[in-house]
Amino acid sequence: MGEKRRRLAAGRNPDDAALEQAARSRALFAQGAFGPALEHLAVALERSPHLDPLWAQFADFIRFYNLRDPLPPRLRTLLERALEHPAVDPGDLVRPISSAALSRAGNPLDEPLLLRLMRDTVIRDPALEDAIVAARRDPATSLETLVAIAHQCFNTEYVFDDDGFAPPAPANARSCALYAAYKPLPFPDGAPASLVKQQIEEPAEEARLRATIPSLGEPASAVSAKVRAQYEENPYPRWVRVPAQPAVSEGPRRILIAGCGTGQHAIATARHRPNARVLAIDLSLASLAYAKRKSLELGVTNIEYRQADLLSLHSSPERFEQIEASGVLHHLEDPYEGWRVLAGLLAPGARMRIGLYSERGRRHVVRARELIAKEGFAPTPAGIRACRAAIRARAADELFARFLKSEDFYSMSGCRDLLFHVQEHRFALPQIADMLRRLGLEFAGFEFADAGISAARYRERFPGDASMMKLENWDQLEAEYPDTFARMYQFWVRR
């Protein structure tokens, strides 16, 4: 028997043991045993570091962790590799790396992991913002740190207080980095290569690509025109990588992404379903050009980008097996009309994924909009900076404090979208149920970032509804837990 086991082991795929470790890690994580879960996953990654799904799992786990300095060498190595791995969204590393940096004795910007992270994503912490602003003007700040700060300030679209400082003209690496921490570089001479790529070459490529994106016509309403103008200010949101998903050959062959923005979701969908043809539309050429640049960079060829108002699709003869409109309908003058147009494009048996703002989940935004109206903050860079300062000064208020944890609060276009949007509707679940009835659509389930927590609460509250498909029950649960849909209602429907 021992010899037989040895022969079987010899013929076994060496990745099987790593995948078993990863499965044990998921089970432990579901039980709340975070430390052992991370230990099992670390062993899996050491055995099979070439498996992209393991790195995606690591990022999905570690994003919930607050870490303390000094980091164990094994964990530091995993974070270093995750920062460079194409399967990892660097946004998932913000919480663990930021918390580790803030726990250091001395300057948090001395943490190398944080400096690397600052190049690729937006840091979401007021104490780190203060450290960045202070270091930006300090002549003792190292060139390496100053370059990371310049990347971060570009990522935030220079939303931090400019403190009245006039940077010197760019002439050498240091002066270029200092200049780039306050405004985009005007020319590449003397600048560090990473800043030239981010602030000159990539925007130039996007400017070139704008002319290659076909338009399906002008905005269908005055509101659509205003929304388009808002999103032409900056590509929103900026991003670097798309988390890995396994490619599948089955499923819908023709997919519409309505309101694709800068393409992160459209690209993820196209990579997940390489045999599908994806049509991605948006009002903003700035966002579409960013999306097309990233598609070319990643070698994604099954997406067609079009500038279009989804309302203009009402006469289209095309039908789609899957339609996704997450975060666009609530910015229309008449969300129901936009949803009706999309529903008319569904092929028989097709499904649709919808995202809508929750009235309860956005109560902090309502409070902020009241403050904006009272103080007269304008939707300009200066007005947005003043609004941010006013919200930070009110951080003792639980609703205002929520903004300090939001990624959108830390970029100019994010704040504009979050707090100053020219058109925003918010909904309650009974309204959504009524629209579904009028459209002849059937609710097919919610998506949650914390699916386990939300499902557990529902089952405990409504043990007789195993399907979890009753919107009236979800409405009761949201009344008891008003942050259940803090991001938005994300759900699937079908005919």
Side-chain angles (χ1 to χ4, degrees):
M1 181 64 73
E3 181 61 29
K4 182 179 179 181
R5 285 201 185 109
R6 281 192 293 274
R7 286 198 306 270
L8 289 172
R12 191 183 189 201
N13 186 327
D15 292 335
D16 287 348
L19 294 172
E20 289 174 4
Q21 289 280 356
R24 282 197 288 271
S25 175
R26 284 192 294 273
L28 289 165
F29 189 85
Q31 297 166 15
F34 302 131
L38 187 57
E39 180 68 21
H40 278 283
L41 187 54
V43 171
L45 283 165
E46 288 164 358
R47 283 177 168 166
S48 298
H50 57 281
L51 293 180
D52 287 359
L54 299 185
W55 287 105
Q57 182 179 340
F58 174 76
D60 193 47
F61 280 12
I62 203 69
R63 66 192 176 100
F64 295 105
Y65 283 71
N66 287 319
L67 303 179
R68 294 194 60 80
D69 186 73
L71 294 174
R74 181 190 223 177
L75 180 56
R76 178 174 290 277
T77 297
L78 288 173
L79 289 167
E80 288 171 349
R81 297 190 66 177
L83 278 166
E84 308 293 340
H85 201 283
V88 174
D89 180 351
D92 287 340
L93 306 179
V94 169
R95 179 173 177 176
I97 290 178
S98 294
S99 58
L102 288 167
S103 72
R104 291 175 69 98
N107 189 343
L109 299 183
D110 290 337
E111 171 53 67
L113 292 171
L114 180 65
L115 295 185
R116 179 62 189 86
L117 182 69
M118 285 164 56
R119 295 186 176 214
D120 286 350
T121 192
V122 172
I123 303 302
R124 309 187 280 271
D125 187 276
L128 289 178
E129 176 180 333
D130 292 343
I132 289 168
V133 170
R136 188 168 55 173
R137 288 190 64 174
D138 186 348
T141 298
S142 70
L143 176 59
E144 178 189 15
T145 301
L146 195 56
V147 169
I149 288 172
H151 279 289
Q152 181 64 193
C153 291
F154 183 86
N155 291 340
T156 70
E157 297 145 344
Y158 302 96
V159 77
F160 300 157
D161 185 2
D162 64 10
D163 58 29
F165 180 68
N172 54 37
R174 185 173 185 85
S175 62
C176 285
L178 182 57
Y179 186 97
Y182 285 88
K183 59 185 73 174
L185 286 168
F187 48 78
D189 299 349
S194 63
L195 291 176
V196 172
K197 181 176 186 293
Q198 181 196 49
Q199 300 196 6
I200 295 178
E201 294 176 354
E202 290 178 349
E205 175 67 0
E206 290 160 26
R208 184 189 69 80
L209 289 170
R210 286 175 69 106
T212 70
I213 298 171
S215 173
L216 300 182
E218 293 299 309
S221 70
V223 168
S224 292
K226 291 179 180 179
V227 172
R228 173 181 170 179
Q230 173 179 321
Y231 287 111
E232 293 292 2
E233 292 284 335
N234 297 294
Y236 170 77
R238 296 181 186 274
W239 58 276
V240 174
R241 294 196 292 272
V242 177
Q245 292 188 70
V248 296
S249 57
E250 298 178 354
R253 298 295 180 178
R254 188 62 169 144
I255 300 172
L256 171 65
I257 309 291
C260 68
T262 51
Q264 191 171 20
H265 181 69
I267 290 171
T269 298
R271 294 170 81 182
H272 181 51
R273 300 194 181 279
N275 293 330
R277 291 187 303 126
V278 178
L279 174 62
I281 66 168
D282 200 88
L283 283 167
S284 165
L285 269 177
S287 294
L288 287 166
Y290 192 100
K292 189 165 183 179
R293 176 177 68 78
K294 295 299 291 184
S295 294
L296 292 171
E297 175 187 306
L298 295 168
V300 178
T301 59
N302 57 329
I303 303 179
E304 311 162 59
Y305 289 106
R306 300 286 184 272
Q307 184 188 31
D309 186 334
L310 71 84
L311 295 172
S312 68
L313 301 179
H314 68 278
S315 59
S316 172
E318 271 205 276
R319 294 297 177 266
F320 298 89
E321 296 170 57
Q322 183 169 305
I323 296 177
E324 303 194 28
S326 180
V328 62
L329 293 177
H330 47 229
H331 293 317
L332 299 180
E333 184 173 10
D334 183 350
Y336 175 80
E337 177 60 19
W339 201 350
R340 187 188 67 79
V341 169
L342 293 179
L345 301 174
L346 285 170
R351 298 199 313 158
M352 182 186 296
R353 181 176 181 264
I354 295 293
L356 295 170
Y357 286 146
S358 160
E359 183 70 50
R360 292 183 180 117
R362 300 276 286 183
R363 62 196 186 282
H364 62 306
V365 175
V366 173
R367 173 75 69 83
R369 284 180 171 268
E370 292 169 353
L371 174 67
I372 289 167
K374 178 182 176 183
E375 299 296 333
F377 297 128
T380 61
I384 290 172
R385 291 188 185 104
C387 178
R388 292 183 78 250
I391 288 174
R392 287 195 59 178
R394 291 164 172 78
D397 183 302
E398 184 271 334
L399 289 181
F400 284 122
R402 288 179 58 176
F403 290 107
L404 305 188
K405 300 176 182 178
S406 168
E407 179 179 1
D408 281 343
F409 188 70
Y410 295 90
S411 71
M412 192 70 75
S413 57
C415 270
R416 190 181 288 115
D417 186 82
L418 180 66
L419 301 172
F420 290 87
H421 206 287
V422 298
Q423 180 70 63
E424 176 177 312
H425 295 273
R426 296 174 297 276
F427 298 86
L429 286 173
Q431 290 175 275
I432 292 174
D434 180 64
M435 287 193 287
L436 288 171
R437 178 187 57 77
R438 292 161 61 194
L439 291 165
L441 297 173
E442 179 184 33
F443 177 69
F446 284 113
E447 285 186 2
F448 293 97
D450 64 342
I453 296 173
S454 298
R457 283 176 175 170
Y458 188 98
R459 291 192 181 102
E460 181 180 0
R461 182 69 174 79
F462 305 103
D465 180 22
S467 69
M468 301 193 297
M469 292 293 176
K470 293 184 178 179
L471 287 177
E472 61 269 28
N473 289 350
W474 281 109
D475 185 48
Q476 290 183 48
L477 190 73
E478 188 185 18
E480 297 167 14
Y481 299 96
D483 292 333
T484 301
F485 301 98
R487 296 175 68 91
M488 65 177 73
Y489 300 116
Q490 294 269 18
F491 55 96
W492 289 89
V493 299
R494 57 181 172 241
R495 287 287 184 193

